[in-house]
Amino acid sequence: KLPPLGSEEPLPPEGCVATGTLTNGVTYVVRTNRKPKSRAELRLVVKAGSLVEGEDQLGVAHLVEHLLFCATKKFQRGELVKIIEAAGGSFGADLNAYTAHHETIYSLCVPCHTDGAGSNLLEQAVNVLQEWASAALLTEADIEAEKKIVLEEWREGLGREQRMLDHYYAKAFPGCRHACRQPIGKMDILQACSAKRIRDFYEDHYRPENIGVVAVGDFASNTDVVSLINKFFGGIPQRQYKQQVPSFVLPVPGRAVVVYSDPELYHAAVKLSFCFPNCPTPTPAWFQREVVKEVFLDVLDRRFSVLRQQAGCPFLSASVGAEDLDPTLTAVCFTAACLQGPDAALATLVALATEVERARAHGVTEHEVAVSTSNTRSVGESELVERHDVPSDDHAENFVEYLSRPGIAITSEAVGTKFRLAACDAVTVESFDWLRGLLDLRGAGWICEIRQVAGAPTVEEEQVREVLERELGKWDGAPVPPWSPPAPSAAACLGAHFAEEVVSEAGSAADGGPDESESEEEGEEEEENDESGSDGPPAKKRRVDKPVIVSGGAVVSEEMMDAKLGVSYWTLDNGATVTIKRTDFLHDEVMLLGEAVGGSSNLDDRRDIVASRFLPLIVSLSGLGDLSASELNQALAASVMQVSLAASHYGRSFTAVGAVKDLEVALQLTALHFRRPRFDTVAVEQLLSLIKQDKQTEQTDPSRQFALRLQELTQGDADHVRATKEEDIAAIQSRGVDGFRQLWSRLFADPGEWSWVLVGAVPDDDTLRPLLSRYLAGLRPDPSCSAWMGQGGASGGDCPGSAARRGRRVRALADGFTKTPTSAVLRRAGDSTAETQMVVRCAKGAADDLKARTLSRAIADTVCRRLQQKLRIDLGVAYSMSCEVDCDSQVVDAESRLPHASVAFSCRESSLDTCLAAVQSVISDLRTQGLSEEEVSTTLAQLKSQHHEGLLENDYWVSLLVTSVLEARSQSDDPCAASRMSLEVAGRLFSEKMNRDALWDSMTK
């Protein structure tokens, strides 16, 4: 029997999880989980991080993490990396381990079966974890080599985030051990640390009682894996502590003000954090408190969404959330981005503090509680449906927390979710009193952060304190009034936009109807005529509505693209296509993706090209239909649906991911995006502020400077790729709302251009057909937009509703690749680090087909592995590097594609020539000697592993299907009029993607 809601009694442990402690003190957690199939997630948890280092060992915990990948008693140098890659995994910076204040975690993802040579890969992986835990060699040569690598990693991390973190701890938690024990350490101390002291750390802290093992995967049984853990870890001998290590807890701060300015900060921000002790203990009362906290923060977050839409709002964006500063310390955080300068920062601080005081003094309204609770409940209901679909890596991370944090217990996720749902029903406005008590600027326990851009006028700490004291004095005399929400829109929900749509005689749905002010007058006049009592024929009753969003549509054909895999291909009467794949990977997830070929590369006017970059953002700031952005957010509170819009050089896309019950909501949002986007003046002003701030601070961000320089060298300075300039901002401002609306009408004029893919727990055909008929097929071409995107440099063209328009191919971007060898070096403030990227134009054949793209990937992977060996392991001059091949868009004609390869790394500027020579040497060796059999085998093993794991993920199927359909439609001059041909091409392309194993098996050195 479960304890009642509100009880502090612990919940029963989860029955399908095996936990225990070996005789030597090693703890373990094992769970059999079928997602993904035939894979296992393993973790080695060492309950020792940077906080237990001695004064002469600062950085050693992290160094030991590096050293464990070098060699152990059983696995020689380089062998461990080969084992990881042979199992289909990847090895690289931060991929397989990390060091934190309290713990060090190592991870492996391996198959649960034997390999081609008959080796049990799971058993081998558990053996690797045991070797890491107890048999590291830590040789002098490895220690010196890894010190160099850690030095390069530290150098890479010398950017603004590390500097701000150091300053934050020093000011917010002065004298605290966390402030002087950052995991990366202090390089002067680390470089001087002796091999003996490094081995001492390993001996002192890598002890059985500090070791935990997590195994989650597609096992035959928990018992078999527990036996494996006992086999390898049970023999580790116990050792006596030289000294007892205390527990280090981050204290609740006082009234801290952290003012920070940095030359690399590219935006200003203000943050208020209210801290409180929090030890997660899964009891009914704890779940109830967590729900109350989530609802409270959601209410306040929605308030800032409303404030942001008001004219004169001092901040650019704001949010409210919770952060765990330490395992036992949580903070409620109010964060806002603002413009540069003291006035903007202090005005934003006042705005945040005012809302904090309003929430403290008056709490929240019943309506707000109802809205936010419905959101929390919907998420919980979806989690309950998908409780058997949680992937193994999610379970593994939860179990890592259980083993590394005191007081945490493993309970049934289903039971926990049921308590959360019960807690939703028990939430009242009085439930938040304990949280309101935390939001007290008059007391202690808070941190105020001001982040500023160096070079501009800045705020001083005393100014911040003076402003807060001034505001507190004002509120003592004249309290902040309660929250007064804006009047709700007449359309309180999405469905109201689609109820009883009538086309007026004064204007059709397609041409946008009459002006709204005229509609109201005309409607009133019509009513007067109806009541005039004229002897003539009665006036025909008509209602003048807003433009019709959807009107009658139908599915005109339903065919199979791949009957064996259950992929169907529907054609709608407006020319759009819908490709459907039903899966059971997640029982409550459906994904809808729509894409249309043709983007900004087909536009000719520089003003339109620039405006297209910001279309998705302006829509998100404005809202849809009759709903502002905040009203839309409220209308979707009970929906588990995430929606995003994107526009690129070669296409436009719309994505919706959410619960099955909200599929109709996703389709309604789709229709509203096409026909009723809402562009308002305040949103345009907000957008301009964001762009101006970005331009003002562009020169302070070295990474941005580097990216812009690289773009100039590889793509040129044509309108389609050139960065936004001051004159572009002026053009957007002068065109205003009308400019965005006109561009949107052109880009979304013809629904028939779009290819839709629907994947997941899709409803049956009889349920789905009327939904697609109404919301997707019901979208009709807009004849009011007679000019769409030009072709061949000419504006205008056919009506977008014609079939000829739908087959038009994209215009490829001009080749702006520089013909002169040039280097771009990124220098960070106060350091001599060089961020370097070499870009090479590839032969066009590198992107022709799947085989060519696979070969390109194999070469890139090999370059990266060889560079890791040479630059990181042999020379110790670089920490991370990458090599990638961009094959360009497949919707572009093969002859117009511009494939290129890039090699990127970071090093000391004094080592730059050495690194460049190494890259040239690796490339030269590949040209003369090619790839080895082992390198080909490793790459193909990774590709196969990724492909087969992807086939168990909805988003992977979406990618396979949409690329197949788009390529098919882009290859035809008239795919909408000849959908059969389009289907055949799409089916062939899809078959190639699905059956790539046969291609890979045929590939050799």
Side-chain angles (χ1 to χ4, degrees):
K1 182 180 178 181
L2 294 176
L5 187 65
S7 169
E8 295 289 356
E9 182 181 344
L11 294 174
E14 190 163 15
C16 60
V17 177
T19 62
T21 303
L22 304 182
T23 56
N24 57 4
V26 173
T27 55
Y28 62 84
V29 180
V30 178
R31 174 179 177 139
T32 298
N33 192 61
R34 306 302 179 195
K35 181 179 174 62
K37 293 180 180 178
S38 302
R39 302 291 293 184
E41 291 285 346
L42 305 180
R43 303 289 186 272
L44 176 68
V45 179
V46 182
K47 288 177 277 188
S50 60
L51 290 180
V52 300
E53 295 168 342
E55 292 297 330
D56 62 342
Q57 294 176 316
L58 303 186
V60 168
H62 177 239
L63 177 63
V64 168
E65 172 214 312
H66 277 247
L67 287 165
L68 264 58
F69 288 91
C70 292
T72 66
K73 291 179 181 178
K74 183 174 182 179
F75 301 105
Q76 299 305 306
R77 185 174 180 86
E79 194 173 352
L80 286 166
V81 174
K82 290 181 180 180
I83 290 173
I84 294 171
E85 293 181 335
S90 298
F91 174 77
D94 306 317
L95 288 179
N96 309 99
Y98 68 86
T99 302
H101 278 124
H102 296 273
E103 70 279 337
T104 305
I105 309 298
Y106 302 84
S107 62
L108 289 175
C109 178
V110 297
C112 292
H113 51 75
T114 58
D115 62 12
S119 299
N120 187 317
L121 297 176
L122 177 60
E123 181 171 344
Q124 186 180 55
V126 175
N127 189 186
V128 169
L129 296 186
Q130 174 262 317
E131 288 278 308
W132 283 341
S134 63
L137 290 184
L138 308 181
T139 66
E140 295 271 1
D142 286 343
I143 287 173
E144 292 308 310
E146 289 302 317
K147 279 184 178 181
K148 294 180 181 178
I149 294 172
V150 171
L151 179 62
E152 292 307 314
E153 181 182 359
W154 170 80
R155 196 180 302 279
E156 273 193 27
L158 281 181
R160 58 180 179 268
E161 293 302 327
Q162 186 61 49
R163 293 194 293 271
M164 287 191 295
L165 192 62
D166 292 340
H167 185 72
Y168 171 80
Y169 275 107
K171 297 292 289 185
F173 303 98
C176 176
R177 195 175 180 89
H178 294 64
C180 57
R181 291 291 194 286
Q182 291 300 312
I184 193 64
K186 296 186 182 297
M187 289 304 102
D188 55 342
I189 294 177
L190 181 64
Q191 296 301 316
C193 189
S194 67
K196 178 183 182 305
R197 291 296 288 144
I198 293 168
R199 296 189 187 107
D200 284 346
F201 183 91
Y202 184 73
E203 292 295 322
D204 288 344
H205 301 293
Y206 280 63
R207 320 167 55 82
E209 55 268 47
N210 276 355
I211 298 298
V213 182
V214 173
V216 184
D218 192 9
F219 309 133
S221 71
N222 288 348
T223 305
D224 294 343
V225 181
V226 171
S227 298
L228 273 181
I229 294 172
N230 197 24
K231 172 183 175 181
F232 289 106
F233 284 84
I236 300 176
Q238 289 181 303
R239 298 189 299 273
Q240 293 298 318
Y241 275 112
K242 293 181 180 178
Q243 59 182 2
Q244 187 65 36
V245 178
S247 177
F248 301 104
V249 177
L250 195 65
V252 175
R255 306 173 78 219
V257 175
V258 183
V259 177
Y260 189 76
S261 177
D262 192 272
E264 289 184 17
L265 266 177
Y266 56 90
H267 69 271
V270 179
K271 185 175 184 180
L272 282 173
S273 303
F274 298 85
C275 307
F276 61 97
N278 181 35
C279 186
T281 52
T283 64
W286 180 81
F287 281 112
Q288 188 171 15
R289 287 192 295 271
E290 285 297 292
V291 167
V292 168
K293 182 179 71 176
E294 289 175 21
V295 172
F296 187 64
L297 299 183
D298 188 67
V299 168
L300 300 183
D301 192 67
R302 291 175 186 276
R303 287 185 178 182
F304 280 103
S305 178
V306 173
L307 293 173
R308 189 182 67 170
Q309 294 181 281
Q310 296 178 358
C313 177
F315 51 81
L316 300 173
S317 62
S319 63
V320 184
E323 295 180 13
D324 289 328
L325 304 181
D326 205 52
T328 58
L329 188 68
T330 298
V332 173
C333 303
F334 297 74
T335 308
C338 60
L339 292 172
Q340 296 180 27
D343 292 343
L346 294 176
T348 298
L349 173 61
V350 170
L352 292 183
T354 300
E355 294 313 311
V356 167
E357 176 66 9
R358 195 190 315 276
R360 185 201 67 81
H362 304 289
V364 298
T365 68
E366 291 185 356
H367 175 70
E368 288 177 310
V369 172
V371 170
S372 293
T373 302
S374 68
N375 177 261
T376 303
R377 183 184 294 108
S378 294
V379 173
E381 290 170 348
S382 182
E383 289 176 350
L384 195 60
V385 173
E386 294 185 343
R387 63 188 182 278
H388 300 302
D389 302 324
V390 178
S392 293
D393 57 346
D394 285 358
H395 283 304
E397 293 309 310
N398 290 335
F399 297 155
V400 164
E401 188 173 1
Y402 160 73
L403 289 178
S404 59
R405 302 285 192 263
I408 296 179
I410 297 177
T411 59
S412 167
E413 293 183 8
V415 171
T417 302
K418 289 176 180 178
F419 272 110
R420 285 172 54 85
L421 291 173
C424 288
D425 297 331
V427 173
T428 66
V429 291
E430 290 78 20
S431 302
F432 310 105
D433 289 348
W434 68 276
L435 280 164
R436 291 169 57 191
L438 297 174
L439 306 182
D440 189 2
L441 286 165
R442 298 168 179 82
W446 53 263
I447 305 169
C448 174
E449 295 177 69
I450 308 284
R451 297 186 177 189
Q452 305 170 98
V453 179
T458 56
V459 177
E460 299 298 331
E461 179 179 333
E462 285 308 311
Q463 287 179 277
V464 174
R465 294 191 183 276
E466 288 173 5
V467 167
L468 289 176
E469 290 299 327
R470 183 193 70 202
E471 295 301 311
L472 288 171
K474 285 171 52 179
W475 299 332
D476 288 339
V480 175
W483 174 254
S484 178
S489 167
C493 63
L494 292 182
H497 290 82
F498 301 90
E500 196 182 352
E501 294 181 327
V502 180
V503 180
S504 73
E505 292 182 353
S508 69
D511 66 17
D515 181 78
E516 291 180 21
S517 60
E518 295 176 359
S519 297
E520 292 176 3
E521 295 173 1
E522 196 172 347
E524 292 172 1
E525 182 180 348
E526 190 70 33
E527 290 179 6
E528 292 175 1
N529 290 339
D530 288 345
E531 297 172 0
S532 63
S534 170
D535 293 332
K540 185 170 68 173
K541 289 186 177 181
R542 58 189 178 89
R543 197 182 79 206
V544 179
D545 283 340
K546 299 256 177 101
V548 171
I549 301 170
V550 293
S551 56
V555 178
V556 295
S557 69
E558 300 176 15
E559 302 177 84
M560 297 302 296
M561 178 186 291
D562 191 314
K564 182 179 179 181
L565 295 174
V567 179
S568 54
Y569 186 85
W570 292 10
T571 303
L572 311 182
D573 65 351
N574 60 4
T577 63
V578 184
T579 308
I580 304 163
K581 166 63 180 176
R582 293 180 173 87
T583 69
D584 58 2
F585 312 139
L586 293 172
H587 290 84
D588 195 31
E589 180 182 84
V590 62
M591 301 185 71
L592 174 69
L593 174 65
E595 294 220 14
V597 174
S600 64
S601 71
N602 284 39
L603 296 170
D604 298 302
D605 191 321
R606 166 72 183 175
R607 297 173 301 173
D608 287 338
I609 293 168
V610 174
S612 69
R613 301 171 186 172
F614 304 107
L615 271 178
L617 179 55
I618 192 67
V619 171
S620 70
L621 292 172
S622 299
L624 293 171
D626 297 324
L627 300 173
S628 67
S630 59
E631 290 171 334
L632 181 62
N633 189 26
Q634 180 171 310
L636 295 174
S639 302
V640 184
M641 182 62 61
Q642 297 178 342
V643 174
S644 62
L645 185 74
S648 66
H649 292 317
Y650 296 135
R652 297 141 284 158
S653 66
F654 180 90
T655 307
V657 181
V660 178
K661 71 179 180 61
D662 296 318
L663 175 58
E664 184 170 10
V665 171
L667 294 169
Q668 290 174 341
L669 289 169
T670 303
L672 285 170
H673 272 89
F674 269 86
R675 288 295 172 261
R676 290 288 302 283
R678 174 185 173 119
F679 299 100
D680 61 54
T681 304
V682 174
V684 173
E685 291 175 356
Q686 290 176 330
L687 174 65
L688 288 170
S689 295
L690 290 169
I691 299 173
K692 288 176 182 177
Q693 181 212 33
D694 189 60
K695 294 302 297 178
Q696 288 172 355
T697 59
E698 193 172 82
Q699 296 307 311
T700 66
D701 183 4
S703 297
R704 286 281 303 281
Q705 297 169 29
F706 184 70
L708 291 173
R709 176 60 175 156
L710 189 66
Q711 178 178 289
E712 180 184 336
L713 293 174
T714 58
Q715 298 181 339
D717 195 37
D719 285 341
H720 293 88
V721 296
R722 191 178 68 183
T724 305
K725 305 291 184 182
E726 292 294 338
E727 57 266 29
D728 299 324
I729 300 175
I732 291 174
Q733 189 168 15
S734 64
R735 297 178 78 188
V737 169
D738 290 339
F740 280 108
R741 184 178 289 117
Q742 291 166 10
L743 179 60
W744 186 274
S745 297
R746 294 169 65 193
L747 293 176
F748 289 83
D750 185 8
E753 296 177 308
W754 288 68
S755 301
W756 299 90
V757 171
L758 196 55
V759 173
V762 181
D764 61 74
D765 288 355
D766 290 339
T767 303
L768 182 63
R769 194 176 294 108
L771 291 174
L772 297 185
S773 297
R774 182 179 189 191
Y775 295 111
L776 293 187
L779 291 169
R780 317 312 294 178
D782 184 358
S784 68
C785 180
S786 59
W788 190 57
M789 294 186 293
Q791 182 184 25
S795 297
D798 304 324
C799 169
S802 69
R805 295 297 302 150
R806 300 169 194 155
R808 181 163 292 173
R809 291 175 178 151
V810 300
R811 180 196 300 163
L813 293 177
D815 187 354
F817 199 87
T818 182
K819 302 301 188 291
T820 305
T822 309
S823 64
V825 178
L826 161 63
R827 292 177 175 84
R828 289 200 175 104
D831 184 45
S832 58
T833 297
E835 295 282 353
T836 306
Q837 188 157 343
M838 299 176 61
V839 183
V840 181
R841 172 57 46 78
C842 300
K844 293 186 182 297
D848 276 355
D849 53 25
L850 183 59
K851 182 176 182 180
R853 294 194 289 273
T854 299
L855 289 170
S856 299
R857 166 73 183 274
I859 293 171
D861 286 354
T862 300
V863 169
C864 192
R865 288 193 200 94
R866 292 189 182 184
L867 285 177
Q868 281 183 345
Q869 178 66 41
K870 187 178 288 285
L871 297 181
R872 179 175 175 174
I873 298 175
D874 296 342
L875 300 175
V877 293
Y879 173 63
S880 62
M881 60 284 303
S882 64
C883 183
E884 299 177 350
V885 175
D886 184 342
C887 293
D888 209 348
S889 174
Q890 299 304 299
V891 302
V892 178
D893 290 336
E895 288 301 313
S896 301
R897 292 173 194 160
L898 303 173
H900 63 271
S902 62
V903 177
F905 58 87
S906 173
C907 66
R908 285 170 292 178
E909 195 166 350
S910 59
S911 303
L912 180 57
D913 290 341
T914 300
C915 292
L916 291 173
V919 174
Q920 296 285 9
S921 173
V922 166
I923 294 174
S924 177
D925 289 346
L926 273 174
R927 284 175 172 165
T928 57
Q929 302 170 17
L931 281 68
S932 69
E933 293 285 356
E934 183 181 20
E935 288 170 330
V936 172
S937 175
T938 298
T939 294
L940 294 181
Q942 289 181 337
L943 288 172
K944 284 185 177 181
S945 174
Q946 292 164 9
H947 177 56
H948 289 286
E949 287 181 27
L951 291 176
L952 300 175
E953 302 289 341
N954 286 332
D955 55 356
Y956 190 74
W957 280 92
V958 168
S959 176
L960 291 176
L961 291 168
V962 77
T963 53
S964 301
V965 174
L966 283 181
E967 286 181 54
R969 295 190 73 169
S970 66
Q971 291 176 18
S972 170
D973 289 331
D974 192 1
C976 297
S979 61
R980 180 70 213 172
M981 187 281 297
S982 177
L983 170 61
E984 290 175 354
V985 176
R988 174 177 56 79
L989 293 169
F990 174 66
S991 178
E992 290 176 358
K993 291 178 172 62
M994 285 300 301
N995 299 315
R996 58 186 70 185
D997 274 9
L999 168 66
W1000 291 335
D1001 288 339
S1002 69
M1003 296 178 67
T1004 64
K1005 174 184 175 182

